[in-house]
Amino acid sequence: MIAVGFKWFIFSAMAIIAVGSSLMMVTRRNPIHSALWLIVAFCSLAGIYVLLNATFMALAQVMVYAGAIMMLVLFVIMLIHLESDLVEKAKRSFPKAIGAIITILLFVQVAAGIAAFQNVGKKGAITPEVMAAAGNAQVVGSMLYGKYAFAFEVASVLLLVGIVGAVVLAKRVRN
């Protein structure tokens, strides 16, 4: 009983940290500070994965997202000098209005998805018993390189396109 209460307390603390750091990430004007808050959000999500007995996902979260992806984001921010764009900001502009509309639409979509989610009691192909028998890393690896191999490769190509885009933007800024 005490272990469940402590686990619930840690889960709640990690969830609050994740939400708080996510809010800090989207409200900071300095992109470096936003990226650092995103790292905090990634690490708190890794803590939630650990509490859910998904240690491989927690390790991948820290290594891939908090490590590699955030280094890439920080590299791009420093490469294209986003700090200089902060100086010439307008109070109201058309891109900000479009961004606000897209943000509101995304929040409405997430709220509708949460309201329509009826997955309680349904079991998928990978049950907790299968995960325990095969091991977390083996199940995730077989799913990632088997059923979801195409999506995995598309994500890697998108990251490559992002890197090439950052290099092109950096060369345009210097010229």
Side-chain angles (χ1 to χ4, degrees), residues 3-139:
V4 173
F6 181 71
K7 197 173 182 180
W8 182 86
F9 173 75
I10 296 296
F11 182 85
S12 299
M14 292 288 180
I16 290 171
I17 290 171
V19 170
S21 59
S22 299
L23 287 174
M24 293 295 285
M25 178 199 64
V26 297
T27 56
R28 300 299 95 190
R29 292 191 178 268
N30 190 332
I32 301 289
H33 294 165
S34 293
L36 293 175
W37 280 112
L38 185 59
I39 291 173
V40 173
F42 284 155
C43 289
S44 61
L45 284 177
I48 290 173
Y49 285 138
V50 168
L51 289 175
L52 295 174
N53 294 328
T55 53
F56 178 75
M57 289 301 296
L59 186 64
Q61 177 78 20
V62 170
M63 285 176 44
V64 174
Y65 288 103
I69 299 295
M70 286 313 300
M71 288 304 293
L72 177 67
V73 167
L74 288 173
F75 173 72
V76 169
I77 289 171
M78 291 178 190
L79 192 64
I80 62 174
H81 301 289
L82 283 178
E83 294 88 13
S84 61
D85 292 341
L86 292 175
V87 176
E88 51 186 68
K89 58 187 173 221
K91 295 238 178 202
R92 294 182 185 170
S93 65
F94 184 70
K96 284 184 179 179
I98 296 295
I101 290 170
I102 290 172
T103 303
I104 290 170
L105 287 175
L106 285 175
F107 276 119
V108 168
Q109 183 180 9
V110 168
I114 290 171
F117 187 67
Q118 299 292 328
N119 198 18
V120 178
K122 293 181 181 176
K123 289 190 175 185
I126 307 296
T127 61
E129 293 81 22
V130 172
M131 291 280 282
N136 194 3
Q138 182 181 0
V139 171

